Amino acid sequence: MANHQSSIKRIRQTDKKRLHNRYYAKTARNAVKALRNTLDKAEAQALYPRVCSMLDKLAKKNVIHKNKAGNLKSKLSKHISKLAIA
């Protein structure tokens, strides 16, 4: 157990931030999964800007790495473009 007041406070803050980050990261993962499972091109195009915005915000706040956000956005974009062919 922590002995100093500052370390006790740091533990409290870390737990609070961890729960906050987990919630938003999970929400983004669910949004990405929903977009990947979408087979309708119009619906996917409507959902794409919201998912991209969500990923950019998470990258900006260091919840996920900026390159991971870019990779996810790229893969989702390729998925949407393939929907036109099918």
Side-chain angles (χ1 to χ4, degrees):
M1 185 59 201
N3 293 323
H4 296 284
Q5 185 66 32
S6 61
S7 59
I8 293 171
K9 181 178 179 182
R10 178 56 55 198
I11 290 169
R12 278 198 320 264
Q13 289 174 335
T14 303
D15 286 342
K16 187 175 180 182
K17 286 180 185 176
R18 184 181 62 83
L19 289 174
H20 181 267
N21 289 343
R22 278 182 61 193
Y23 171 76
Y24 284 104
K26 184 67 173 179
T27 304
R29 278 198 305 272
N30 287 339
V32 168
K33 192 181 295 185
L35 183 56
R36 280 191 183 133
N37 291 333
T38 302
L39 298 176
D40 182 31
K41 184 176 175 74
E43 186 180 338
Q45 284 178 329
L47 199 59
Y48 181 70
R50 287 182 32 217
V51 174
C52 284
S53 173
M54 195 180 298
L55 292 172
D56 286 336
K57 286 177 186 173
L58 290 178
K60 180 180 173 184
K61 295 183 179 183
N62 292 321
V63 176
I64 61 172
H65 196 273
K66 65 176 184 170
N67 290 348
K68 180 177 177 65
N71 288 335
L72 286 171
K73 291 191 306 185
S74 173
K75 287 177 184 177
L76 291 173
S77 177
K78 285 173 69 174
H79 170 70
I80 291 172
S81 65
K82 286 179 184 177
L83 291 176
I85 297 168

